[in-house]
């Protein structure tokens, strides 16, 4: 399990350029996911947001629980993605920038899906972009399970081969 808020704070502090504001809205939550994979996911998303916003821009992550799912919306006030390109941004080797590996969002989508989640672009305009990442929720920070006992037991049985 991974607590999202500390992970987001760590990554934002190392990836976002100086002068770009960052904040998290909503409560912290724990997700069922691999921490290294989530680190890669949010490193790519913060790097993209940091490149998209102008000096003194802002990146906001909104966390919310929806039953057994945690939703993280990452919004920036950058230049946005042209509408004609929105369908292609998750394709490997597609980019609107020079340099880089051109795999960032393709890797993001693959890693999120490997964790049982989904990612998509909620909106983009000349005033910025919002990307949604949905992940299986483990429990809230007060320790209350947000999943049923049956849902928690099933993965354990599979791993043990029962």
């Amino acid at each position: 399990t991974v607590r999202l808020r500390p992970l987001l704070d760590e990554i934002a502090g190392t990836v976002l350029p100086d002068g770009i504001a960052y904040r998290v809205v909503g409560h912290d939550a724990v997700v069922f996911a691999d921490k290294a994979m989530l680190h890669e996911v949010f490193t790519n998303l913060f790097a993209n947001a940091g490149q998209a916003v102008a000096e003194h821009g802002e990146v906001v992550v909104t966390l919310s629980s929806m039953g057994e799912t945690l939703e993280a919306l990452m919004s920036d006030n950058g230049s946005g993605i042209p509408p004609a390109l929105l369908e292609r941004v998750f394709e490997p080797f597609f980019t609107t920038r020079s340099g880089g590996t051109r795999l960032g969002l393709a890797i993001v989508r693959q890693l999120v899906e490997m964790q049982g989640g989904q990612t998509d672009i909620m909106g983009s305009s000349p005033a910025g972009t919002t990307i949604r990442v949905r992940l299986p929720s483990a429990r809230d920070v007060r320790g209350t399970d947000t999943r049923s006992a049956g849902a928690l037991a099933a993965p354990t049985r599979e791993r043990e081969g029962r």
Side-chain angles (χ1 to χ4, degrees), residues 2-6 26-30 63 65 70 139-141:
V2 180
R3 284 187 60 185
L4 274 187
R5 183 168 251 160
H27 63 80
D28 191 8
V30 179
L63 300 175
S65 290
L70 182 309
R139 60 183 171 86
D140 65 25
V141 294

Side-chain angles (χ1 to χ4, degrees), residues 50-72:
Q51 291 170 1
V53 300
E55 190 175 325
H56 308 296
E58 182 177 42
V59 177
V60 177
V61 180
T62 304
L63 300 175
S64 60
S65 290
M66 299 174 353
E68 295 180 358
T69 302
L70 182 309
E71 184 173 270

Side-chain angles (χ1 to χ4, degrees), residues 17-36:
D18 291 338
I20 296 178
Y22 156 75
R23 63 187 166 102
V24 174
V25 177
H27 63 80
D28 191 8
V30 179
V31 294
F32 278 116
D34 179 86
K35 186 174 183 179

Side-chain angles (χ1 to χ4, degrees), residues 1-156:
T1 59
V2 180
R3 284 187 60 185
L4 274 187
R5 183 168 251 160
L7 180 69
L8 294 170
D9 290 344
E10 172 193 337
I11 297 168
T14 58
V15 173
L16 289 176
D18 291 338
I20 296 178
Y22 156 75
R23 63 187 166 102
V24 174
V25 177
H27 63 80
D28 191 8
V30 179
V31 294
F32 278 116
D34 179 86
K35 186 174 183 179
M37 287 186 185
L38 283 189
H39 194 281
E40 182 73 17
V41 164
F42 287 105
T43 295
N44 277 300
L45 292 177
F46 275 115
N48 283 352
Q51 291 170 1
V53 300
E55 190 175 325
H56 308 296
E58 182 177 42
V59 177
V60 177
V61 180
T62 304
L63 300 175
S64 60
S65 290
M66 299 174 353
E68 295 180 358
T69 302
L70 182 309
E71 184 173 270
L73 299 176
M74 181 177 287
S75 302
D76 65 57
N77 63 350
S79 55
I81 301 167
L85 302 179
L86 282 174
E87 292 182 25
R88 298 194 59 207
V89 296
F90 289 103
E91 293 177 12
F93 306 111
F94 177 79
T95 187
T96 59
R97 299 185 183 105
S98 61
T101 63
R102 302 178 310 163
L103 291 172
L105 289 178
I107 288 171
V108 164
R109 176 166 274 171
Q110 181 180 19
L111 292 177
V112 168
E113 288 175 355
M114 289 172 65
Q115 301 303 302
Q118 301 171 325
T119 187
D120 58 346
I121 298 191
M122 294 295 296
S124 187
S125 71
T129 300
T130 298
I131 295 183
R132 175 174 57 188
V133 175
R134 288 183 169 170
L135 295 162
S137 180
R139 60 183 171 86
D140 65 25
V141 294
R142 294 174 298 272
T144 305
D145 278 336
T146 59
R147 298 174 59 156
S148 68
L152 290 172
T156 303

